[in-house]
Amino acid sequence: MTSSQDHLLPLEKDDQTGRGILLIYTGGTIGSAPQDPMDPHSPQIVMPWRDLKTSIPGLDRLGYPIDAISFAEPLNSCDIEPYHWQWMADIIAQRYDDYEGFVILHGTDTLAYTASMLSFMLGHLGKPVVVTGAQIGGVSFVRNDAHQNLLTAAMLAHPKAHGLKCIPEVMVCFGGRILRGNRTRKVDSFRFQGFDSPDLPWLGECGERIVLRPVYSLPIPSEPLRVRTEVERDVIMLEMFPGIQRAKILEAILSQQAPKGIVLRSFGAGNIPTEKGFLSTIQAYLGDGGVVVNVTGVGRGGVNMGLYDTNQQLLDLGIWSGFDMTPEAAMCKLMWLLGQEHDDVQEIFQSSLVGELSM
Ligand code: ASP
C-alpha cells in the first residue's frame, strides 16, 4: 500500500468468525459528540470509531464479523480531499477478496462527492460499498439516526446473511433510502432524509423491511475489479448568477493559473449569460485547451443543450454537456477522467460509465 497507511489505524479484527464486512471510519457527525460531555450544546468533535462502536446496541448480533479500519485522525467531512478518496479506494482494493462488502462512515457534507468519486475509482465493482453517515451522532445522543443508518448499511454490505440481493455498486444508505452513490445529492441539512437521487429512482427503501429494486441497480460485472485512483485536482466549479457576466470572476480566475477543467452550474436546462465578453473569455480558455462542462444548478432534470439559442451557442463553443449528472458526479468524473490517460475524454465524459447519467 501507499504511504496512506501511516494515516490509518491498524485493522481492528472482530472476534466473531466467518466472512464479514469491512467498515471504513472516516469521521463525520455519525461519530461526533459534544466536546464537553456535560454540555450537550458545546461544539461537536469527531470521536474515535471505538466510541461509536461501543454505543451501538446490536452491532455484535448481526451474526458476522465487522472489522474496521479507521482514519488515524477522523475528519469532519468538509476537510475531505482527493487523497482521502484514494485511501478509501486503496483499502477496498487491498481487502476486496476478504470481505462480502464494505461500509464507509462519512460526514454528510461531502458524502455525495465521496460516493461519486468511489464509483469511478472502483471499476467493475462486484460487491456492495455502502456509504452512510447521520444527522445526529450516535456516541452520546440517545435520539439519533446514526445507529439505524449504520446497522442498515451493514446489512446491505452483507446481503447473503440477510437474504437480500447483492447490489454491486457504490450506494448511499441514509434515512431509509438506498440511492446510487453517483446520483446522490445532499438535499436537507435538518431532516433524517438528508439525501435523495433526484434523477434516478431509489435503489431501495428501508422501513419495516428492506425492499430493493434490483431493476435499477447495475449488473454484476464479468470483469475483475479495476481500481484507478489518479485524479486531476485542478478542476473548479462555478455557479451562474445574474451579474456574473460583468463581475469579471471568470476572467480573474483564468488570468492567473487557469484550471484544467471547469464545471459550470448553469441556469435551468443549461443556460448561461450570453454577454459577448463573458463568452469570449470562455472561448479563449477552451482554445487554450481548457475543458468546460455544463450541469444544471437546478435540483433535478439535467441540461438539454441545443434547446435554446443561448445554450446552442455553448455547444458551438465546445462546452460539453453533463446531461443529468449531478454537479458532484460531474466534478468527480471530470477530476477522475483528467487524471487518467484517455484518448477521448469528451466521449467518455458524455457516456454513462457506472450509471451516473441517463440521457
Ligand atoms: N459537517 C459534518 C461532516 O460533514 C456534517 C455531518 O456529518 O453531518 O462531517
Side-chain angles (χ1 to χ4, degrees), residues 27-30 46 75-78 106-110 133-135 186:
T29 293
I30 190 164
V46 186
L75 301 167
N76 186 308
S77 79
C78 53
H106 199 285
T108 58
D109 289 344
T110 59
Q135 302 282 38
K186 183 170 180 179

Side-chain angles (χ1 to χ4, degrees), residues 232 234 254 258-262 281-292 317-318 320 334 338 345:
E232 171 56 67
D234 198 8
L254 301 183
K260 299 265 177 6
I262 301 176
T281 305
I282 295 178
Q283 192 169 20
Y285 170 69
L286 292 168
D288 288 343
V291 173
V292 180
L317 281 182
W320 304 351
L334 192 58
L338 294 179
V345 179

Side-chain angles (χ1 to χ4, degrees), residues 21-290:
I21 62 171
L22 179 65
L23 182 145
I24 301 170
Y25 181 64
T26 73
T29 293
I30 190 164
S32 296
Q35 197 162 21
D36 175 356
M38 305 310 288
D39 175 7
H41 302 295
S42 61
Q44 295 191 33
I45 51 167
V46 186
M47 309 300 280
W49 159 240
R50 189 143 284 282
D51 292 20
L52 177 58
K53 183 181 178 185
T54 50
S55 74
I56 304 181
L59 193 61
D60 54 352
R61 294 208 311 263
L62 286 176
Y64 42 85
I66 302 181
D67 294 349
I69 291 186
S70 176
F71 281 15
E73 287 176 27
L75 301 167
N76 186 308
S77 79
C78 53
D79 287 323
I80 284 281
E81 294 191 48
Y83 64 85
H84 295 115
W85 296 326
Q86 290 164 337
W87 296 358
M88 293 178 226
D90 279 347
I91 294 171
I92 292 172
Q94 296 233 329
R95 319 239 172 202
Y96 190 68
D97 293 333
D98 303 338
Y99 294 98
E100 294 289 332
F102 301 85
V103 170
I104 297 179
L105 302 188
H106 199 285
T108 58
D109 289 344
T110 59
L111 187 150
Y113 287 93
T114 294
S116 297
M117 184 56 98
L118 289 177
S119 78
F120 299 120
M121 287 182 166
L122 302 172
H124 308 306
L125 182 65
K127 296 186 177 186
V129 173
V130 194
V131 191
T132 194
Q135 302 282 38
I136 305 181
V139 176
S140 66
F141 296 110
V142 176
R143 183 180 159 273
N144 68 69
D145 57 332
H147 295 180
Q148 280 307 316
N149 284 350
L150 199 164
L151 288 164
T152 313
M155 292 170 79
L156 289 169
H158 201 316
K160 249 191 252 162
H162 301 285
L164 297 168
K165 230 178 137 54
C166 174
I167 306 182
E169 52 180 293
V170 178
M171 68 196 109
V172 170
C173 167
F174 202 102
R177 298 172 180 173
I178 304 166
L179 312 168
R180 171 163 302 151
N182 57 36
R183 293 297 197 124
T184 297
R185 306 209 65 198
K186 183 170 180 179
V187 293
D188 205 313
S189 59
F190 167 71
R191 291 174 182 79
F192 287 154
Q193 286 71 37
F195 291 86
D196 201 352
S197 58
D199 284 311
L200 189 80
W202 303 340
L203 303 183
E205 258 180 282
C206 324
E208 175 260 328
R209 278 162 297 127
I210 296 179
V211 178
L212 301 178
R213 303 194 186 102
V215 65
Y216 294 117
S217 56
L218 299 173
I220 304 265
S222 49
E223 291 171 64
L225 182 75
R226 180 167 182 212
V227 181
R228 283 174 293 178
T229 63
E230 287 313 311
V231 297
E232 171 56 67
R233 300 174 61 113
D234 198 8
V235 175
I236 63 161
M237 195 180 285
L238 192 68
E239 174 125 31
M240 296 298 103
F241 58 88
I244 191 170
Q245 56 271 60
R246 291 184 213 282
K248 305 285 179 223
I249 293 171
L250 194 59
E251 230 172 28
I253 294 169
L254 301 183
S255 65
Q256 300 295 314
Q257 249 197 329
K260 299 265 177 6
I262 301 176
V263 177
L264 282 187
R265 291 174 68 152
S266 55
F267 299 124
N271 305 305
I272 70 169
T274 57
E275 197 268 328
K276 282 202 173 53
F278 185 65
L279 291 183
S280 60
T281 305
I282 295 178
Q283 192 169 20
Y285 170 69
L286 292 168
D288 288 343

